Amino acid sequence: MSFTEFLRVPEIAQRYHKVKQYFYLRESAYDVTSVCQLRCEGCYYFEGDKYKVEDNRDSEAWRAFFEKEKARGITYVVLAGAEPALVPKILKACYDVIPFGSIASNGLKGIDPAIRYKIHLSVWGDSTGDPVYRRYSSGKLGPNCLPAQLKNYKNDDRAIFVYTFNHENANQLDEVLNRIDGDGHKLTFNVFSDPLLNSSPLKLRDTLKQTREKMTEAMEEYPDTVIYSYYNAEVHTDEKSLQQGFGCIYPRAQQAKGKTPIGIGKTFRSYRTDLTHATHTDCCVPDTNCADCRHYAAGSAIVSSRLNLHTDSESKFRAWLDYVDTYLAVWVLGYRRDKNLYVPSGAPAPLGV
Amino acid sequence: MSTVSSTETTIKDILWQSLAGGSYNIETLKSQLTADSRFDEIGLDSLDIVDFFLRLQDHFEIKMREEDYARLTTIKDIQTYLEEKGAA
Ligand code: SF4
Ligand code: SF4
């Protein structure tokens, strides 16, 4: 069967039509501050040189800058840093201009409810692991972020928790998932991706299979809470990195390979806090090692853009649709994910979500 | 109608099928699109362009290499490409 034949299968056509309405999203990423309360192990922000620039703290300068970004065709912003919640005026300036986007936050401080972006709250482990992986900048044990996050985002529909699997924390998920589910929130997964220059002990080595099993178990046990698909689990725990499996489409990777950029490769920029960017770091996780890149944000762009690599069989196309449906549920406020269209053999039949 | 213009019409029809259900004003695009319009300049999104190329492959029963995507930026480019492949 071919692409146009797949589209004659009603459930495939329906899902394709659903996700297609978002093909117009054109994203860029912005580090809005270099200040953070924490120094998490292997945080890509504090790698390389990008955090050494001087922050622009003038929210009106940011507002004018976002106007230019909008004029450049950007329809979706990813605000990150260090910790965006520490610069509320800049977040407001951005939201006033481009009302579609998300914020990556450690959740220790709340964000003005009027800013209707999706908010990704990072979780690194349970009450034993999180404080060790996420220390204060003084080097002291960190605060255990989850209780503060749940308090700051109680009943907040913007929030989605992002659990980063590392080499040793697969089983710490149980406590975290239990609390997030208990509070009626959603959770998705990230996979620790090694920094380029300073390899971290948290890099997954022989634990990819265990991680996949844990992801799958969580999806099946908490189908309403866990926003993930079988294909997500396969892709992000494959021996091959995203770059090796799919080829990365970000400007940084395209430039490194001397390729003619297309799509996001032309328009994506990763701005630093002084409002500059450089093509050799223009990807969603600069200073991450491409050979180990399994990051959820990277996958959202890389796998989703590779429609053409998923049309040689119906099951691959179904898997791609699940991936895009998941990506939209993670990044777009109000978007609801549907049941999996792709179920690997041996897995239980899909449950409605 | 010449063979060339009939191929052009077919390519455009396939393009409209690709863009249906997306976020475009198809009527406006129809009035803007010429054989030389660059897809990115008239605001086509990259995934819609991939959808378009997949439909072209099915219709003309050809295999396109991914490297070709970046250089096929107009209807005219595609027409020439199909002619070179003996598919038009
Ligand atoms: S909270 Fe985020 S920005 Fe701050 S150190 Fe941790 S990963 Fe980095
Ligand atoms: S780190 Fe990941 S997203 Fe960035 S260029 Fe490398 S493969 Fe692409």
Side-chain angles (χ1 to χ4, degrees), chain A residues 230-287:
Chain A
Y230 291 109
Y231 190 54
N232 282 71
E234 287 177 13
V235 160
H236 286 271
T237 60
D238 197 274
E239 286 293 332
K240 287 185 189 156
S241 71
L242 291 165
Q243 160 86 305
Q244 291 156 349
F246 297 94
C248 179
I249 39 67
Y250 278 108
R252 173 184 167 202
Q254 296 283 308
Q255 186 188 57
K257 290 203 179 290
K259 287 194 167 176
T260 312
I262 55 169
I264 197 174
K266 280 198 211 159
T267 52
F268 182 92
R269 294 177 186 167
S270 175
Y271 282 96
R272 302 163 183 197
T273 57
D274 64 351
L275 309 182
T276 64
H277 80 104
T279 307
H280 70 276
T281 54
D282 278 339
C283 87
C284 60
V285 280
D287 296 298

Side-chain angles (χ1 to χ4, degrees), chain A residues 193-197 241 252 285 287-294:
Chain A
S193 301
D194 211 26
L196 186 58
L197 296 176
S241 71
R252 173 184 167 202
V285 280
D287 296 298
T288 296
N289 184 352
C290 297
D292 193 57
C293 179
R294 294 184 177 79

